[in-house]
Amino acid sequence: MSRAADYEGEEAAAELPAAAYVVLGMLRLGARSGYDIKRAVERSTRFFWTISPVQIYPSLKSLESSGLVHGRAEPRGRRPRRVYELSEEGERMLGHWLRSGESTALELRDVGMLKLFFADALEPADARSHVRALKWRSEQAIDQMRRESEPVALALTQERGERFPQLVLRIGIAVHQAVADSCAELERDLWKGDRA
Amino acid sequence: MSRAADYEGEEAAAELPAAAYVVLGMLRLGARSGYDIKRAVERSTRFFWTISPVQIYPSLKSLESSGLVHGRAEPRGRRPRRVYELSEEGERMLGHWLRSGESTALELRDVGMLKLFFADALEPADARSHVRALKWRSEQAIDQMRRESEPVALALTQERGERFPQLVLRIGIAVHQAVADSCAELERDLWKGDRA
DNA sequence: TAGGACATGTAATGCGTTACATGATTAT
DNA sequence: ATAATCATGTAACGCATTACATGTCCTA
């Protein structure tokens, strides 16, 4: 029940929330349970799109009740567990969403950058430490992508011929490298500026 | 009234939503009316943090009722208009938020990248056109930053000595340049891959 | 036998968007 | 006269987060 009604519609023409497409997409990439999806998100899309576990399970239910996924119980011992697979309609829905991208408005949300934008209100030392923090954060991100995401993406390429997870990862790394480099440069400039 | 109560609290210790800090920050940078803030956001923070006009006016009211900003009516002819300025408490609140950044989780949301992540579900031609769209989008963003944001940021530096708007803009341009470059590279690789 | 990973939820709250609405001033 | 810009809102809705809750299985 819950929100199922929102998703239902004669021809499944209604738009779904982004989280639902993440779920559909992850099922398509081989995830079977809600937990699988949660882990996959943590290791891949997290860097440019997060969804929390709390969204995944209700979403799966809704998608099932509107026929976009098929689910069946598959308990492990006495522990309940439900596995899902994409229906043909689900596949179509996902494909439609992917192709409808022309209008995708540029969207990039980052509180860290927002804070830096207003950093003239801070003492120079605090501002510099904020820049360092941003740099560190991006370096950490690159590190994690290499350690956690890259192996998964590589496996997807080799085992299933899915190339894009790997390619998007490359963009993610490049973006964070750009942030890290810019921050390093800023740090130098700020240091000079404050000495002069 | 509306949400004023949410913001109130004995010592203004409660956290504000991010939108409120944008408002405070923009007032600090010289914006006076809600409309000023709206324009400032469109020309600057928009690239990494958007807030809509609908958030600005209620936010100003709430901030006023909790003493973080002072407002007074200043109509232009018969057209109503209200101007605001940061109070000392508001200044402190902003500063506190800016300094509390240690825990800022990495956050970057982009539907375009999300779609690209799942683009193996598309025909190669569609996938390539999506990559081109992403590239174009970043090129446009760079263009706009140079044309619209840079002059504003420069003015802030020269007229008020505020350096960070300009510096953050540099990061923004670098990020989009990285995306554009990555996409160009992807395009070539995809082309090769599909021919082979 | 205790801790960590597996597995799945509910309830409350509120932020943010979408759609709608209104009217004054200035420039063409 | 008409359009664009200035200026400020209201109402409804729903996604998404936070906090909380529960229990199983496996491994050291």
Side-chain angles (χ1 to χ4, degrees):
Chain A
M1 22 223 77
S2 65
R3 302 206 195 129
D6 306 343
Y7 294 176
E8 281 165 347
E10 293 311 297
E11 300 292 6
E15 296 252 322
L16 305 179
Y21 293 108
V22 176
V23 168
L24 293 177
M26 286 304 182
L27 288 177
R28 200 189 148 276
L29 289 179
R32 304 183 70 228
S33 65
Y35 200 75
D36 279 354
I37 295 172
K38 182 195 153 218
R39 268 183 319 180
V41 166
E42 270 165 13
R43 282 172 201 171
S44 52
T45 64
R46 169 166 71 108
F47 293 103
F48 46 88
W49 198 274
T50 329
I51 62 175
S52 68
V54 206
Q55 301 173 259
I56 295 173
Y57 296 103
S59 183
L60 279 168
K61 261 190 188 161
S62 301
L63 290 170
E64 185 171 11
S65 77
S66 49
L68 297 174
V69 306
H70 297 313
R72 66 174 190 287
E74 194 173 278
R76 285 281 185 265
R78 236 185 317 168
R79 188 200 293 163
R81 184 163 168 273
R82 197 168 176 81
V83 295
Y84 298 86
E85 58 182 355
L86 217 51
S87 72
E88 273 177 45
E89 283 162 70
E91 189 110 35
R92 264 203 306 278
M93 195 76 184
L94 179 63
H96 181 261
W97 177 70
L98 289 174
R99 253 172 268 109
S100 71
E102 305 310 327
S103 59
T104 321
L106 173 92
E107 198 182 324
L108 205 147
R109 315 200 106 207
D110 184 3
V111 188
M113 289 245 229
L114 183 62
K115 287 188 180 180
L116 193 61
F117 183 87
F118 294 122
D120 286 292
L122 294 174
E123 300 292 313
D126 286 339
R128 263 205 308 276
S129 87
H130 193 115
V131 174
R132 261 197 303 277
L134 280 186
K135 191 182 78 174
W136 184 81
R137 199 187 64 170
S138 280
E139 286 165 352
Q140 288 306 102
I142 293 174
D143 224 60
Q144 277 195 355
M145 288 192 239
R146 289 213 196 284
R147 280 187 295 104
E148 290 172 26
S149 310
E150 205 150 44
V152 178
L154 230 85
L156 276 173
T157 303
Q158 285 165 359
E159 291 162 23
R160 307 176 52 102
E162 309 274 348
R163 306 184 288 172
F164 280 93
Q166 212 191 332
L167 299 176
V168 171
L169 190 61
R170 242 156 68 182
I171 304 184
I173 291 175
V175 163
H176 281 284
Q177 194 62 60
V179 173
D181 292 347
S182 300
C183 287
E185 200 190 324
L186 280 204
E187 236 182 302
R188 285 196 302 275
D189 290 3
L190 287 175
W191 187 248
K192 262 191 296 183
D194 295 338
R195 305 239 94 185
Chain B
M1 18 223 75
S2 65
R3 299 204 197 132
D6 305 343
Y7 293 178
E8 281 164 349
E10 292 311 295
E11 302 291 6
E15 296 252 325
L16 304 179
Y21 293 107
V22 175
V23 168
L24 293 176
M26 286 305 181
L27 288 178
R28 201 189 146 274
L29 289 180
R32 304 183 70 229
S33 66
Y35 200 74
D36 279 354
I37 295 172
K38 182 195 153 218
R39 268 183 317 180
V41 167
E42 271 166 13
R43 283 173 200 169
S44 52
T45 63
R46 169 167 68 109
F47 293 103
F48 47 87
W49 197 273
T50 329
I51 62 176
S52 67
V54 206
Q55 300 173 261
I56 295 174
Y57 296 102
S59 183
L60 279 168
K61 262 190 188 160
S62 302
L63 291 170
E64 186 171 10
S65 77
S66 50
L68 298 174
V69 306
H70 297 313
R72 66 173 189 288
E74 194 174 278
R76 284 281 185 265
R78 240 185 313 168
R79 189 199 292 160
R81 185 161 167 273
R82 198 169 176 79
V83 295
Y84 298 87
E85 56 182 355
L86 217 53
S87 72
E88 273 178 44
E89 283 163 69
E91 188 109 35
R92 265 203 307 278
M93 195 75 185
L94 179 62
H96 181 262
W97 178 69
L98 289 174
R99 253 173 269 109
S100 70
E102 306 309 328
S103 59
T104 322
L106 173 92
E107 197 182 323
L108 205 149
R109 314 200 107 206
D110 184 3
V111 188
M113 289 245 229
L114 183 62
K115 286 187 180 179
L116 194 61
F117 183 86
F118 294 122
D120 286 293
L122 295 174
E123 300 292 313
D126 286 338
R128 263 203 309 275
S129 85
H130 193 116
V131 173
R132 261 196 303 278
L134 279 186
K135 192 182 76 173
W136 184 83
R137 200 186 64 170
S138 280
E139 286 166 350
Q140 289 306 101
I142 293 173
D143 224 60
Q144 278 195 353
M145 286 191 240
R146 288 213 197 283
R147 280 187 295 104
E148 290 173 26
S149 309
E150 206 150 45
V152 178
L154 230 84
L156 276 173
T157 304
Q158 285 166 359
E159 290 162 23
R160 309 177 50 103
E162 309 275 347
R163 305 185 288 175
F164 280 93
Q166 211 190 332
L167 299 176
V168 170
L169 190 62
R170 243 157 68 184
I171 303 183
I173 290 175
V175 164
H176 281 284
Q177 194 62 60
V179 173
D181 292 347
S182 299
C183 286
E185 200 189 324
L186 280 205
E187 238 184 299
R188 284 196 302 275
D189 290 3
L190 287 174
W191 187 247
K192 262 191 299 186
D194 295 338
R195 306 239 95 185

